[in-house]
Amino acid sequence: MGIVTPEIGLIFWMLVIFGILIVLLRSFAWKPILTALHEREDSIESALRMADQAKLEMQQLKAGNEKLLADARLERDRILKEASDVANQLIEQAKNKANEEGGRMIMQAREAIQNEKNAALAEVKNTAAQLSIDIAERILRRELTDQPAQQQLVDSYLKEVKLN
């Protein structure tokens, strides 16, 4: 029965040993354990404060990034509008230049056509004059081969020409 019911001496020595253990633990182990717990608690609080600061900084950075992104979008839109305006101006200038060049080419073509027309008319006149001269020469040869016809022609010319 000694195992189930403890004796008074056993209880006494257990209490003494437990007391000594408490005193030893209090003097040697609890201070370092409590110090470590306080350090751990301080480090956790510090980490939480740093996390809050980091969260605030992240919010500020996010707001700054959003502002930068909005500014970049505005700048992009402005640059695109300027590029579109410049492109439209270039297109308009190219159209105007093409119209001027087309008008100049049309005028040159008209002048060339007029020059060709004048040259063709001059050639026709020259050809007509040459034909007239050839015809007149043939007529005169035929008429001048006959002596009375020659005399008659000279007389008719003299009648036409009146001297003043």
Side-chain angles (χ1 to χ4, degrees):
M1 285 227 182
I3 296 181
V4 177
T5 55
E7 294 180 14
I8 298 259
L10 181 63
I11 291 176
F12 173 75
W13 285 113
M14 281 176 65
L15 286 174
V16 170
I17 291 175
F18 186 70
I20 293 171
L21 182 64
I22 294 281
V23 170
L24 286 175
L25 283 176
R26 190 172 191 192
S27 63
F28 293 113
W30 281 10
K31 284 184 182 180
I33 289 174
L34 288 177
T35 304
L37 284 176
H38 285 301
E39 288 176 3
R40 176 77 175 159
E41 186 178 308
D42 290 341
S43 69
I44 290 173
E45 286 179 16
S46 174
L48 287 174
R49 273 183 272 141
M50 289 174 60
D52 288 340
Q53 287 177 349
K55 185 177 178 182
L56 288 174
E57 287 176 7
M58 288 298 290
Q59 288 175 347
Q60 290 173 350
L61 287 174
K62 186 177 179 183
N65 285 344
E66 288 175 359
K67 185 181 181 304
L68 286 174
L69 188 60
D71 291 345
R73 285 183 181 141
L74 288 174
E75 183 71 15
R76 179 200 64 196
D77 291 342
R78 185 186 63 77
I79 289 171
L80 286 175
K81 186 179 181 306
E82 286 178 4
S84 175
D85 291 344
V86 168
N88 288 339
Q89 286 176 349
L90 288 175
I91 289 171
E92 191 64 32
Q93 288 174 355
K95 282 181 183 178
N96 290 339
K97 188 175 180 181
N99 286 338
E100 289 173 5
E101 185 69 21
R104 188 180 58 78
M105 290 175 70
I106 288 172
M107 289 301 295
Q108 287 177 347
R110 284 183 181 160
E111 288 175 6
I113 290 171
Q114 187 64 37
N115 290 340
E116 290 293 322
K117 180 180 170 185
N118 290 341
L121 285 174
E123 187 177 335
V124 167
K125 285 180 184 178
N126 288 338
T127 304
Q130 186 63 38
L131 284 174
S132 297
I133 291 172
D134 287 344
I135 291 172
E137 183 182 338
R138 287 183 186 165
I139 290 174
L140 286 176
R141 278 188 191 157
R142 192 185 64 181
E143 288 184 5
L144 292 180
T145 54
D146 185 20
Q147 185 64 24
Q150 263 182 1
Q151 188 61 39
Q152 187 182 16
L153 182 64
V154 170
D155 288 339
S156 70
Y157 282 145
L158 287 175
K159 286 180 187 175
E160 286 178 14
V161 175
K162 293 185 180 177
L163 298 173
N164 292 337

